[in-house]
């Protein structure tokens, strides 16, 4: 078996924040609590879950846009967390990100051409003329006209701005891209165009993706494998077809059943889930999902389930699949 392009083990990130008024208190948000996953070469790996589960923090921690507290991140066998300033700068040529908001992630005072050529010149991989030529080629590759280089972000629609964000992520010829909910802010019709574009780029450039989303329909279409997160931990992972056919964790089943199926003949039996997502500041004891789980047992309230590898590709953390 080939070595994965990215291997994440035991990744943790806690945030300390102050809350309350007029008397404030310091609390700890357990954004990531020891997650592990791998991404194969040319593979699109999905990270899914409800808002606040830690999936976006996971993507940023992999790139060290936020510094992890613990864990290992290996890119093609090299420890990203151990990389010094200069080495990390070189690694970031191969590790890029597409942000969720296609407007906030672009400098409103900078023309698009400057946005695309600056990374090439900063990293010393192209001079002025070559960088401009490469930027024009990138704009064409993402479906934008050459004169887009002479315009500002406010002159484009949301879908066009996301295409610019994709072009910017490609400027340094990356091998892995973290796509942080890249279509969630777009209309449904535009979402399909962006997904088709990303799919073509993945095939043409052999790109690996960490695709972060709360929409299982999008993940099902774009990704080959996925991990389901709940309150900072991964509760299930495996290949897309197997997970959608037979989810092992009740939370995964809830997410799948809440995702519409474009076939009126398919009958979906909705799993009844009550209650709100608990706070990451004070997660429930035992299995964090037991307060909402229809299959909760006494052990679920006191003991967090161990990770169990069901077969070579699938794993789950649930007492329903204990020995």
């Amino acid at each position: 078996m080939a070595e994965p392009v990215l291997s994440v083990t035991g990744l943790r990130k806690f945030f300390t924040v102050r809350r309350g008024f007029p008397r404030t208190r310091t609390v700890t948000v357990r954004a990531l609590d020891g997650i592990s996953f791998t991404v194969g070469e040319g593979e699109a790996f999905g990270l899914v879950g409800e808002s606040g589960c830690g999936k976006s923090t996971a993507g940023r921690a992999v790139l060290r846009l936020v510094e992890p507290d613990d864990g290992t991140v290996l890119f093609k066998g090299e420890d990203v967390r151990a990389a010094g300033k200069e080495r990390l700068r070189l690694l970031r040529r191969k590790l890029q990100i597409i942000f969720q908001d296609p407007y906030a992630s672009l400098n409103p005072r900078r023309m698009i051409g400057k946005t695309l050529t600056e990374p090439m010149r900063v990293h010393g991989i192209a001079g002025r003329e070559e960088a401009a030529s490469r930027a024009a080629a990138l704009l064409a590759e993402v479906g934008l006209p050459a004169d887009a280089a002479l315009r500002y972000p406010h002159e484009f629609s949301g879908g066009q701005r996301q295409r610019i964000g994709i072009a910017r992520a490609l400027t340094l010829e990356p091998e892995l891209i973290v796509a942080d909910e890249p279509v969630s802010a777009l209309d449904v019709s535009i979402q399909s165009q962006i997904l088709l574009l990303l799919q073509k780029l993945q095939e043409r450039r052999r790109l690996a993706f960490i695709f972060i989303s709360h929409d299982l329909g999008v993940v099902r279409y774009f990704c080959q494998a996925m991990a389901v997160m709940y309150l900072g931990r991964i509760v299930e992972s495996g290949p897309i077809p197997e997970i959608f056919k037979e989810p092992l964790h009740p939370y995964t089943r809830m997410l799948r059943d809440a995702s519409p199926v474009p076939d009126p003949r398919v009958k979906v039996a909705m799993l009844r889930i009550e209650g709100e997502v608990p706070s990451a500041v004070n997660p429930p004891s035992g299995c964090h999902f037991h307060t909402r789980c229809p299959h909760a047992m006494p052990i679920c309230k006191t003991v967090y389930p161990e990770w169990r590898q069901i077969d070579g590709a699938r794993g789950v953390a649930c007492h329903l699949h204990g020995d």
Side-chain angles (χ1 to χ4, degrees):
M1 182 179 178
E3 183 178 349
V5 67
L6 185 79
S7 180
V8 177
T9 307
L11 196 64
R12 284 184 169 82
K13 180 61 182 179
F14 296 172
F15 294 99
T16 300
V17 297
R18 296 183 65 81
R19 289 188 174 180
F21 181 83
R23 295 181 179 178
T24 61
R25 60 191 179 93
T26 301
V27 297
T28 300
V29 180
R30 305 169 73 92
L32 295 176
D33 200 0
I35 68 169
S36 302
F37 61 90
T38 59
V39 183
E41 183 178 356
E43 178 186 53
F45 183 86
L47 276 180
V48 304
E50 295 169 290
S51 297
C53 71
K55 55 189 185 294
S56 291
T57 302
R60 291 168 185 258
V62 164
L63 301 179
R64 286 182 59 185
L65 295 180
V66 295
E67 287 289 347
D69 297 326
D70 195 11
T72 303
V73 179
L74 298 179
F75 174 70
K76 303 186 82 170
E78 182 173 357
D79 192 344
V80 176
R81 288 196 63 208
K85 183 178 180 180
E86 290 303 317
R87 184 56 192 162
L88 182 60
R89 184 183 181 190
L90 294 174
L91 279 172
R92 280 182 172 157
R93 293 186 185 181
K94 302 299 181 183
L95 302 167
Q96 288 292 307
I97 185 170
I98 301 169
F99 293 99
Q100 178 178 359
D101 190 332
Y103 187 72
S105 61
L106 297 173
N107 188 334
R109 298 187 178 185
R110 178 169 292 177
M111 287 192 293
I112 301 307
K114 179 70 172 177
T115 296
L116 297 181
T117 58
E118 185 179 44
M120 304 181 209
R121 300 186 64 190
V122 166
H123 284 268
I125 63 174
R128 184 185 298 273
E129 292 185 2
E130 184 182 356
S133 176
R134 288 191 180 192
L138 284 170
L139 288 172
E141 189 172 10
V142 299
L144 292 174
D147 64 0
L150 303 176
R151 294 155 63 186
Y152 290 90
H154 73 270
E155 300 180 67
F156 297 91
S157 67
Q160 290 173 323
R161 285 195 288 262
Q162 195 59 290
R163 289 175 185 268
I164 294 167
I166 294 169
R168 179 177 58 184
L170 297 174
T171 55
L172 300 177
E173 302 290 333
E175 295 180 31
L176 182 141
I177 293 179
V178 175
D180 187 5
E181 304 219 32
V183 298
S184 64
L186 306 176
D187 294 336
V188 174
S189 59
I190 305 301
Q191 286 184 15
S192 62
Q193 296 175 21
I194 298 300
L195 287 172
L196 284 171
L197 172 61
L198 291 174
Q199 192 174 57
K200 290 178 180 178
L201 291 172
Q202 181 191 15
E203 295 171 355
R204 186 184 306 133
R205 292 173 172 257
R206 289 296 295 166
L207 288 168
F209 279 88
I210 297 177
F211 194 90
I212 298 166
S213 180
H214 61 270
D215 188 338
L216 261 70
V218 170
V219 172
R220 185 177 195 172
Y221 172 79
F222 185 74
C223 299
Q224 291 81 54
M226 64 182 275
V228 180
M229 292 188 64
Y230 189 78
L231 283 186
R233 298 187 179 186
I234 291 177
V235 297
E236 183 173 354
S237 67
I240 292 289
E242 285 84 346
I243 287 183
F244 275 84
K245 181 180 179 180
E246 188 59 40
L248 299 176
H249 198 282
Y251 178 62
T252 308
R253 184 176 295 275
M254 178 196 79
L255 293 179
R256 185 202 65 175
D257 292 348
S259 179
V261 178
D263 187 347
R265 295 169 297 179
V266 176
K267 294 183 179 181
V268 178
M270 296 291 289
L271 184 65
R272 184 177 178 84
I273 302 291
E274 299 180 350
E276 298 293 329
V277 181
S279 171
V281 172
N282 186 27
S285 60
C287 174
H288 296 342
F289 189 62
H290 84 263
T291 57
R292 305 171 68 199
C293 181
H295 305 293
M297 301 175 288
I299 191 175
C300 301
K301 300 178 181 180
T302 57
V303 179
Y304 194 88
E306 295 182 3
W307 183 261
R308 300 182 187 278
Q309 207 65 32
I310 303 303
D311 54 38
R314 297 196 67 184
V316 66
C318 181
H319 290 298
L320 291 174
H321 300 277
D323 295 333

